[in-house]
Structures are given as structure tokens and as C-alpha cells.
Amino acid sequence: MVNSLGFDRPPGETRVVVAMSGGVDSSVVAGLLAREGYEVIGVTLQLYDHGEATFRKGSCCAGQDIHDARRVSATLGIPHYVLDYEERFRKAVIEPFAESYALGETPIPCVSCNQSVKFVDLMEVARDLGADCLATGHYVRSRIVDGKRQLLRPLDGDKDQTYFLFATTAGQLDFLRFPLGNMTKDETRELARDMGLVVAEKSDSQDICFVPKGSYSDVIKKLMPEAEKPGDIVDGHGRVLGQHKGIIHYTVGQRRGLGIASGEPLYVLRLDAKTQQVVVGPKSALSARTVRLRDLNWLGPRPLAEMADGNGLALEAKVRSTRAPQEAVVNIRHGEVYVTLIAGETGIAPGQACVLYSDDGADAQVLGGGFIAEAVPAALVA
């Protein structure tokens, strides 16, 4: 007998730790598994406490959310533990985020959080508790393909979170389960209502959890006061067009708030941390087709070097969490991984993720991905 989580034993003999953020998704996961008869243990990590952020609509892993996770666990009749991981979260996620932003990059802290705190530290806690697996409320799917557990896109394409989980390793996938992968968000909320959970109508987490007012620069200035250095706003030829108060106030693709007069709309093309320059230009200069990746995590059935022959490996890729994958080709050149986007993209910035898929279908497998080290402007690609 194989149970719904893939173990050859009854649910009652299977211990599951559920990562409970205090939101509706993870709460429903705990409820579903408890209803099926699994031995469920809820664990919530307290990751930060920034005063008003703990009660901000759309926040997670802080004051009100911990309280909600406790109430849900009490309703379900499962044990619940809260672990203080503020120091670990600060060192593993917040500080690297600030350092990356100060270098002119556009980091994705949710990926870093999954890479470190959630899928390393919390997984270790689950194993210490004798769990057979760790279940989360992510909208992704996983299943065994040719003897290896693979990560796939979920049924609900609008809630697809594979972009934020591309760095999950094969070993981690073996221990993880995603019970919501075959459900829609509406179905999840309906289940929450049916279970009588207080979080049934709770808003989804939005933006970056540890940024209280949505102002990245405020967080960076607090952690790295020296990062706010004034400099020049220049065009593509190096001509000075104006002054700025620090590159931490700008992002690639930004148009508003430049404070310079021009006969045509200007956009931030790149940020140079060494010279403290904000380079601007026309929208056409934002276009890029090829990106170089760093820190590649490969989940494919065979090594990338084998799959990417002389013509490269054709697949699907995306550099925006909210966009559908597009046709792309991966090549390895001099030990570096390059992804060419067939249709191109605008506003690509270092630090963003490029996630690779087997195809653009609803059942597509996540082949892996990496962080963008640089984007090559379309005009420079032969």
C-alpha cells in the first residue's frame, strides 16, 4: 500500500512536518494531511520582527502570522512548534540581499530563503523530529520520473511557484512534498472554509516579507549606511546628465524618478557599483537575448554538458516570475552557462533568476536554473 505521499505504509505510520507560515496555503496542507490520518507536526519559523511589518497585510513569518499558525494547529488538533530563526534569517537572507542590492543587482530573497532557512535548516529540524518528509504549501508538483523525483509546474498556472524553487536540490526534493500542486487557489480557500480555519480569507503574502513599507532602500540604508553614495547619471557614452543620491534607489528598467530632462524617455540600463554611476538610455537599449548564469542548479535527467551538444539544448526559460516560459537555447562556453532567449526580454538585471523548463506545457519539468550574472544587450549579439 502506497499512501498519498508516496510511502509504502499507512498514513498513520507516516510522520510529516508541515512548514506553517500562518497563511491559508500551509494551513490547508496541515489540515489535509491530518484529515487523511498522517501524524502531522506543525513548525513555524520566526524569521523577523520589524514592528509594523509583523502586522502588515501580506506579511509572513512574524507576529500575527505565528499567532494564526498556532490557532490553526489548535483547530486541527496537531502539535505546533515555533522556532526563533531571526539571527539565521538575517545572516542568510537579509544581509546578502542588502549586499547584492548595493552592488547594483536585483536579488530575489525568496529564493535565498528557500535555499537556506526553509530547505536546509527546517529540513534538518524535520529530520530531528523523526519525520518521513517535510510538506509545504507551495504550488508546485513533484513525482518520480525514471526512478528520480522531479520538480514540475502545478495545475494552477496562475499560482506557479517553481520560479522560486529552482535552486532546490535533488536530495531536498526527495524529502519534500507539495500537496497543493494539483489544486487551484480557489479550491484551497474552499477547503480552508470547510475546515473552519481562521485564515480562510487571509490575504496572500506579497512583495518581500522583511521590507515593512515596500522600500528596499530603507532596509539597505539601515544595514549598510555606507551604501548610499551619490554619483553621476550618465548616458551610454558616459556623458553626465545629472546626479543621484545612491544607486540603491534605482533598478534596471526604471523610468520614473530620474530627475533629468530629456527629449525622449530614458530608462535605467545598468548600475555600476564601482563608479557609482547610473547608466540611462532609450527603451530599445534595455532589450537583451543572451544571459550568462552563475550558481547553476541542474535537475535534468542527464548532466547539462551531455544534453547541450554543439547546437545547444533547446528548452523553455523565464526570467520573470509572472511571465510564461519562452523558447530558449542553453550553451556551455568555456565552462560558463549561457541562455539565449529566442524572443528576447527587456529590463534583465544581474541577480534575477533564469529558470529552465523542459517545455511550456502545464506538466513541464523544471530542469534547473541559475542567477543572472550579466545580460548581453541585443545590439551586441551577432
Side-chain angles (χ1 to χ4, degrees), residues 328-347:
V329 176
V330 177
N331 288 282
I332 300 177
R333 304 170 188 162
H334 308 293
E336 300 278 7
V337 177
Y338 291 85
V339 179
T340 297
L341 306 168
I342 303 304
E345 187 62 270
T346 60

Side-chain angles (χ1 to χ4, degrees), residues 63-85:
Q64 183 62 45
D65 309 294
I66 293 173
H67 180 59
D68 288 341
R70 284 189 178 123
R71 294 170 69 191
V72 167
S73 297
T75 299
L76 298 175
I78 63 172
H80 177 250
Y81 301 96
V82 178
L83 306 179
D84 184 354
Y85 270 58

Side-chain angles (χ1 to χ4, degrees), residues 120-354:
V120 174
D121 299 328
L122 183 52
M123 197 170 288
E124 183 177 344
V125 169
R127 287 196 171 99
D128 288 344
L129 289 172
D132 295 289
C133 65
L134 171 66
T136 79
H138 290 101
Y139 285 87
V140 301
R141 286 186 285 185
S142 73
R143 66 165 178 250
I144 301 296
V145 179
D146 296 329
K148 180 180 179 181
R149 185 168 290 277
Q150 302 287 358
L151 185 65
L152 300 98
R153 297 181 69 190
L155 176 69
D156 189 343
D158 291 335
K159 296 299 295 181
D160 185 354
Q161 292 175 301
T162 54
Y163 183 83
F164 301 102
L165 299 184
F166 79 86
T168 307
T169 67
Q172 291 169 343
L173 278 177
D174 284 338
F175 194 69
L176 289 165
R177 297 295 186 272
F178 309 104
L180 301 186
N182 290 309
M183 296 172 54
T184 65
K185 183 70 179 199
D186 288 342
E187 290 172 336
T188 299
R189 288 200 183 278
E190 187 58 37
L191 278 171
R193 297 184 190 104
D194 183 57
M195 295 175 188
L197 304 183
V198 295
V199 296
E201 310 303 330
K202 189 173 182 178
S203 300
D204 291 342
S205 297
Q206 301 169 358
D207 300 320
I208 297 176
C209 64
F210 57 85
V211 182
K213 299 179 181 179
S215 176
Y216 303 164
S217 58
D218 286 348
V219 173
I220 297 164
K221 284 190 295 183
K222 182 177 180 179
L223 294 173
M224 303 176 62
E226 71 281 5
E228 192 177 34
K229 298 178 182 178
D232 296 326
I233 300 177
V234 303
D235 64 15
H237 301 287
R239 290 190 292 260
V240 178
L241 304 179
Q243 304 294 313
H244 67 78
K245 296 181 180 180
I247 65 172
I248 62 173
H249 297 287
Y250 301 85
T251 57
V252 172
Q254 179 178 332
R255 176 185 173 187
R256 299 182 182 279
L258 299 182
I260 53 178
S262 174
E264 63 176 341
L266 295 176
Y267 297 78
V268 175
L269 303 182
R270 64 180 182 276
L271 303 169
D272 191 327
K274 292 183 179 180
T275 63
Q276 290 299 309
Q277 289 183 332
V278 174
V279 183
V280 300
K283 187 175 183 179
S284 60
L286 280 172
S287 298
R289 290 186 61 223
T290 301
V291 295
R292 179 172 62 86
L293 303 187
R294 60 174 174 81
D295 301 326
L296 179 75
N297 181 54
W298 185 249
L299 297 171
R302 291 183 289 126
L304 176 58
E306 291 182 12
M307 298 181 68
D309 55 20
N311 296 319
L313 174 63
L315 38 65
E316 300 280 326
K318 66 175 178 177
V319 294
R320 296 279 194 282
S321 64
T322 55
R323 301 208 186 155
Q326 64 161 288
E327 293 183 3
V329 176
V330 177
N331 288 282
I332 300 177
R333 304 170 188 162
H334 308 293
E336 300 278 7
V337 177
Y338 291 85
V339 179
T340 297
L341 306 168
I342 303 304
E345 187 62 270
T346 60
I348 299 175
Q352 293 176 326
C354 177

